[in-house]
Amino acid sequence: MRGEAGGVELTSPRSPRVTAARRLHKRAFRSQDRRFLAEGPQAVREALALAPGAPGRPVEVFATAEALARHDDVLGPAAAAGVPVHRASGEVLAALAQTVTPQGVVAVCTLLDVPLGAVLEQRPRLVAVLANVRDPGNAGTVLRAADAAGAEAVVLTDASVDVYNGKCVRASAGSLFHLPVVLGAPLPALVEGLRGAGLRVLAADGAGEQDLDALADRPGAQGLGGPVAWIFGNEAWGLPEESRRLADAVVRVPIHGRAESLNLAAAAAVCLYATARAQRADGGCRAGG
Amino acid sequence: MRGEAGGVELTSPRSPRVTAARRLHKRAFRSQDRRFLAEGPQAVREALALAPGAPGRPVEVFATAEALARHDDVLGPAAAAGVPVHRASGEVLAALAQTVTPQGVVAVCTLLDVPLGAVLEQRPRLVAVLANVRDPGNAGTVLRAADAAGAEAVVLTDASVDVYNGKCVRASAGSLFHLPVVLGAPLPALVEGLRGAGLRVLAADGAGEQDLDALADRPGAQGLGGPVAWIFGNEAWGLPEESRRLADAVVRVPIHGRAESLNLAAAAAVCLYATARAQRADGGCRAGG
């Protein structure tokens, strides 16, 4: 690990460079500076794997001497590729990180959301929409599940939490850097766009009139085999009536036991995986991972 | 709302009655007193729905005057059924509750775990085993997903978190009171017991040699249509080699995208729902919920 990281260690949480990064803990400054923080070696590794110039690519990295030594596989190539890596004291890292036990690495990344049009022109076959999701941990966990299930994009509507919130970034476990994210779409325009691009729009709701398993049993696009966009509601896992009306169908995950509902991330994972399975069984155009 | 709750309001967090309940925040005292705390109207409602004398049934309830008025449907019947309901100040409730915004109701319940034998003699067809799960929120969320998917029991092995931890109780969203819970089983003896009761034992692991979807495609007990017990590992969603060896098969949820893994609760929900669907498609002996 040479280059900038070999220089003077940043020891003051009040130095201009650190202060400029720290203020990204606040949403207003993230919007203004068009930057956010990604914390921990996993997220930083995924961010650095992005092509130079790609949205989300780190503009600088802060790391303790210990982290520099331990994660040389991640940080060495960063410095070589022209991403400044600043050696920083534990106190500086603690000021930049939001977890109690920071792992010694924080990157300042450019915002990475893309316009809806850029996603739709790729003709995606599986999209997850978060409408009104307020808890950043839940949003990040759904993003991770959507990535795992092979979704080609995640959309957060205008009433949802900020995807660049530190808790969301951490809960996504790197997935924020894996698939296109669209922000701020109002639900009616979004549904129109998705439908125009050939996706069937399904709203997930505990009170849905269609049973997920019954739907999955139907062949092809009658079931879940065609292109599908899922809308997931807020933490109580409900969607308001006006949102449900926008969808082509409202679908419930069956509750076989006595639970009132599933939590958001579990419900989303079940819906997305049922769709991925149906799309693959129908010989969709995508190869299995 | 009459009866005991109409009496003197408990105002001191240091009164003997409150101190006796408060100490149940600590695992050692829960074990010693054979009691735990359930917080919030949903959990208290589920606990009070248990038959008198059933494990888990509250022995007393603390509620603010406001909560007594608002949740009369829950607390009125409690007093009538002989469960003492103590009117308590906001300060007392804050001392008893662990959430920042307690909803004014906390119940002291008897421990409700049952011996493994009691579960096995019911010949269950779907069981979730948490091996080495350390995060109480994750354990509670899996419990909730298992309940939703129709599992007939949840087992926590000896290396897992305490199911009576307040975070676990809250994350289960009432499900802790819905289905039998077995605690402290060492995994080898547990697997032997489950297999002896006719269950196929499947370990969920990201590195599993069998693909969940491929397994679900096989008919009957060759696939997921027969009685199944799932073993879920710890947060990193891995099981040690010696645990995997105990299972009849090690199964992975396919990762279609670029995520490294799913989080524990999402993976458990996908596995349990795939099984519930297969068991129902195969005309299992249970009615759908």
Side-chain angles (χ1 to χ4, degrees), chain A residues 182-225:
Chain A
V182 176
L183 299 184
L187 195 59
L190 171 65
V191 167
E192 201 176 315
L194 291 164
R195 202 176 278 137
L199 290 126
R200 187 159 175 223
V201 179
L202 302 177
D205 190 284
E209 75 271 11
Q210 295 219 34
D211 177 279
L212 178 71
D213 290 344
L215 190 61
D217 284 338
R218 288 195 219 148
Q222 295 293 309
L224 295 170

Side-chain angles (χ1 to χ4, degrees), chain A residues 42 46 141 144-145 147-150 175 177-178 213 216-217 253-263 265-266 269-270 273 276-277 280 288-289, chain B residues 42 46 141 144-145 147-150 175 177-178 213 216-217 253-263 265-266 269-270 273 276-277 280 288-289:
Chain A
Q42 185 188 26
E46 301 302 317
T141 308
R144 179 179 174 188
D147 179 17
S175 289
F177 298 101
H178 288 164
D213 290 344
D217 284 338
V253 176
I255 301 291
H256 301 301
R258 292 170 54 209
E260 267 181 43
S261 64
L262 279 167
N263 83 324
V270 169
Y273 265 95
R277 185 181 172 199
R280 279 162 179 77
Chain B
Q42 184 188 27
E46 302 300 317
T141 307
R144 180 178 174 189
D147 180 17
S175 289
F177 298 101
H178 288 165
D213 289 344
D217 283 339
V253 176
I255 301 292
H256 301 301
R258 292 170 55 209
E260 267 182 43
S261 64
L262 279 167
N263 84 323
V270 169
Y273 266 94
R277 186 182 172 199
R280 280 162 178 76

Side-chain angles (χ1 to χ4, degrees), chain B residues 12-14 18 21-22 25 37 89-98 102:
Chain B
S12 168
R14 286 189 203 80
V18 178
R22 266 183 96 167
H25 288 157
L37 298 175
S89 67
E91 195 189 351
V92 165
L93 254 289
L96 289 173
Q98 293 189 302

Side-chain angles (χ1 to χ4, degrees), chain B residues 32-51:
Chain B
Q32 189 178 316
D33 300 350
R34 306 285 305 157
R35 301 273 187 276
F36 73 104
L37 298 175
E39 188 174 326
Q42 184 188 27
V44 175
R45 182 183 297 116
E46 302 300 317
L48 284 167
L50 296 167

Side-chain angles (χ1 to χ4, degrees), chain A residues 126-189:
Chain A
L126 184 56
V127 174
V129 177
L130 279 65
N132 221 12
V133 171
R134 299 296 172 89
D135 180 85
N138 280 345
T141 308
V142 175
L143 225 159
R144 179 179 174 188
D147 179 17
E152 282 131 316
V154 170
V155 183
L156 284 87
T157 66
D158 50 2
S160 285
V161 69
D162 182 22
V163 80
Y164 301 115
N165 174 300
K167 271 187 82 170
C168 180
V169 177
R170 287 194 298 282
S172 88
S175 289
L176 178 60
F177 298 101
H178 288 164
L179 73 177
V181 173
V182 176
L183 299 184
L187 195 59

